[in-house]
Amino acid sequence: VKLSAVTFYYPSRRDKPALTDYNLNVAPGERVALVGPSGAGKSTVFNLLLRFYDPQNGHVTVDGKDLRMLRSEDIRACYSLVPQDPAIFSANAYENIRFSKPDSDDSAVRLAARTAGIEEFIDSLPDGFSTFLGEKGLRLSGGQKQRLAIARAILRDPPILLLDEATSALDAESEQTVQVALERLMQGRTTIVIAHRLATVQKADRIIVMDQGRVVAEGNHETLVSQGGLYARLAALQFDQNNSKE
């Protein structure tokens, strides 16, 4: 996955670039985290990877192929996205998980749910996997919705995984459970993570620190903390807050 000298303006913000001369190169199987303050351009990177937009300058490539040369369905077949607030449809659990790969049989759906750590909960519902999950998943907690989204990604079995604040809205116990499911999902995949909670990205192979649409630093957690700068300030602020809550 590669963004090369990318500059991008949203159509509604022609006066200010969301990304400026931005470069990112993610190797196969690598786990890379994008961190930085709101407005740094992290979500814009995902928007370009999914080809919701094309950059005004530069190139976005996957396996050396410019996304402009590929069909939208071929591009999105490369990815699974686990968002902060996953969409849960007015359907049963089988249909909700199978959404990511409609030709999957029931046993494959069950295996994905088991790997995501949600099979036992679904089986406890009145009609098991045939239970209607309610409008927007009213029967599910935040953590259960996230694990269902992870089950979708497992079923899809993509080479590239995009995690967009996948645990930021969860309480500590739910976050820990979902993190275990995410670890299973990330095995053997190229993974790009957007995170505000730095505790969730300390195990990343590489952390890309962004600010105002540019890369301002990169390295692992320990290196970036030792360098000072934006990442060290964010880390000090978050971990000090966590300690004060305890």
Side-chain angles (χ1 to χ4, degrees):
V1 178
K2 192 171 185 178
L3 285 79
S4 304
V6 165
T7 295
F8 172 71
Y9 295 79
Y10 282 103
S12 59
R13 292 290 307 274
R14 294 289 186 181
D15 59 321
K16 184 178 180 181
L19 295 175
T20 304
D21 196 25
Y22 183 86
N23 294 283
L24 175 68
N25 192 358
V26 183
E30 188 178 18
R31 295 186 191 183
V32 170
L34 307 180
V35 305
S38 297
K42 304 182 296 295
S43 294
T44 300
V45 172
F46 277 20
N47 287 338
L48 295 179
L49 288 175
L50 293 163
R51 210 184 169 210
F52 295 146
Y53 301 93
D54 288 328
Q56 283 82 9
N57 293 297
H59 300 276
V60 182
T61 60
V62 173
D63 287 341
K65 298 174 183 176
D66 194 306
L67 297 193
R68 292 185 180 94
M69 308 303 294
L70 300 175
R71 299 183 306 166
S72 295
E73 53 265 40
D74 293 333
I75 293 168
R76 289 166 197 161
C78 296
Y79 307 109
S80 270
L81 171 67
V82 180
Q84 179 179 351
D85 186 18
I88 308 299
F89 304 111
S90 299
N92 66 33
Y94 275 128
E95 293 164 334
N96 263 285
I97 296 173
R98 192 180 280 124
F99 171 74
S100 66
K101 195 174 181 181
D103 59 349
S104 302
D105 60 25
D106 289 354
S107 62
V109 172
R110 275 191 163 276
L111 179 59
R114 188 179 311 140
T115 307
I118 198 172
E119 181 188 35
E120 185 176 346
F121 166 75
I122 295 175
D123 276 334
S124 73
L125 296 173
D127 296 312
F129 276 73
S130 297
T131 302
F132 180 73
L133 298 182
E135 193 75 28
K136 297 184 179 179
L138 289 176
R139 287 176 175 267
L140 305 178
S141 69
Q144 288 158 351
K145 289 179 183 178
Q146 288 301 91
R147 278 179 277 164
L148 190 141
I150 292 166
R152 284 177 181 161
I154 291 168
L155 185 67
R156 189 174 177 84
D157 193 24
I160 303 167
L161 183 62
L162 306 177
L163 304 180
D164 187 358
E165 297 284 359
T167 63
S168 66
L170 305 180
D171 59 68
E173 185 176 357
S174 296
E175 180 180 10
Q176 188 172 12
T177 304
V178 169
Q179 200 65 44
V180 170
L182 286 172
E183 285 293 329
R184 294 174 186 153
L185 175 58
M186 289 187 284
Q187 292 298 321
R189 302 181 203 280
T190 303
T191 304
I192 306 175
V193 183
I194 291 176
H196 282 126
R197 288 189 186 179
L198 302 186
T200 65
V201 300
Q202 290 184 45
K203 295 180 181 178
D205 298 318
R206 196 156 42 103
I207 299 170
I208 308 296
V209 187
M210 297 176 59
D211 192 22
Q212 297 184 20
R214 297 178 183 270
V215 175
V216 295
E218 65 176 275
N220 60 29
H221 173 77
E222 291 77 14
T223 300
L224 290 169
V225 168
S226 69
Q227 289 175 351
L230 176 59
Y231 185 87
R233 293 198 298 273
L234 292 172
L237 179 65
Q238 289 194 20
F239 295 132
D240 283 350
Q241 285 180 344
N242 290 341
N243 290 337
S244 65
K245 288 176 184 177
E246 293 170 3

